Amino acid sequence: MSARYENTERFFRPADVAMLRRNQRRIQIQRIILVGSRLLVAAAVIVAGGWIWRHTQSDARFALKTIEVTGAQHTPRAAVDGVTRAYVGANLFKLDIANVQNDLRKLGWISRIEAEKKLPGTLRVRIVERTPVALLQAGDKLQYVDENGVAFAELSPSVGDGD
């Protein structure tokens, strides 16, 4: 029975110390290669992302070419085109939709604007117009008033009942 315990001494002490050191060096080299490859992949992703961002911000393919406007029944198309003409040619990624909405909201009939960008060069604008519910006499002119009490346009025979 004592012979079994004599073999355990060999188990705790490596027989070839040089082989153990070579194995540790190999493990360290594998770790260095693994970390280096991960750093290279991360650097490649960052460089590719920067190139894509720069490309989209300056490429002429993403210039705004077409503006599709729907929902404008009483708002003159010339007035809408006058506002949107300033944005034609701008980069679609740099275009701030809130500015387009604020500029279009200054037109009298417009209540709400929904705008979306469609790649590569289209801006879709959906206009929701105000609904007149009353008339307001201001001096010698009659104006439409919406449900919020805002006077927004002069009386026109093209809107509503001719009477």
Side-chain angles (χ1 to χ4, degrees):
M1 188 165 187
S2 66
R4 291 171 91 188
Y5 291 112
E6 291 175 10
N7 290 340
T8 60
E9 185 177 328
R10 239 182 44 188
F11 175 74
F12 290 118
R13 200 176 301 165
D16 188 8
V17 177
M19 186 178 79
L20 182 64
R21 288 185 182 145
R22 282 193 305 269
N23 193 21
Q24 287 176 345
R25 282 190 212 121
R26 188 178 320 128
I27 291 171
Q28 287 175 347
I29 290 172
Q30 288 174 347
R31 286 181 182 166
I32 290 171
I33 290 172
L34 181 65
V35 169
S37 65
R38 288 181 179 172
L39 287 174
L40 279 173
V41 168
V45 167
I46 290 171
V47 167
W51 181 82
I52 289 171
W53 181 80
R54 197 178 94 204
H55 182 69
T56 58
Q57 297 297 313
S58 62
D59 196 352
R61 284 184 283 178
F62 299 113
L64 183 60
K65 298 174 188 93
T66 307
I67 299 176
E68 299 172 358
V69 179
T70 58
Q73 296 175 359
H74 303 294
T75 304
R77 180 64 186 197
V80 173
D81 288 341
V83 171
T84 58
R85 191 176 307 123
Y87 296 102
V88 174
N91 187 299
L92 200 60
F93 289 103
K94 292 181 179 179
L95 182 67
D96 187 12
I97 290 180
N99 288 343
V100 176
Q101 290 174 333
N102 288 336
D103 290 346
L104 284 173
R105 211 171 272 126
K106 294 176 185 174
L107 300 176
W109 277 94
I110 297 178
S111 171
R112 191 176 76 238
I113 297 131
E114 298 169 1
E116 69 176 339
K117 300 174 185 178
K118 182 182 175 203
L119 293 177
T122 303
L123 179 68
R124 288 185 178 164
V125 178
R126 184 174 168 266
I127 294 174
V128 177
E129 293 184 330
R130 298 176 193 270
T131 304
V133 294
L135 293 174
L136 171 71
Q137 184 169 0
D140 58 346
K141 297 180 182 179
L142 288 174
Q143 292 184 324
Y144 294 112
V145 178
D146 68 358
E147 61 273 357
N148 295 324
V150 177
F152 59 90
E154 288 188 25
L155 181 64
S156 169
S158 65
V159 179
D161 191 5
D163 293 336

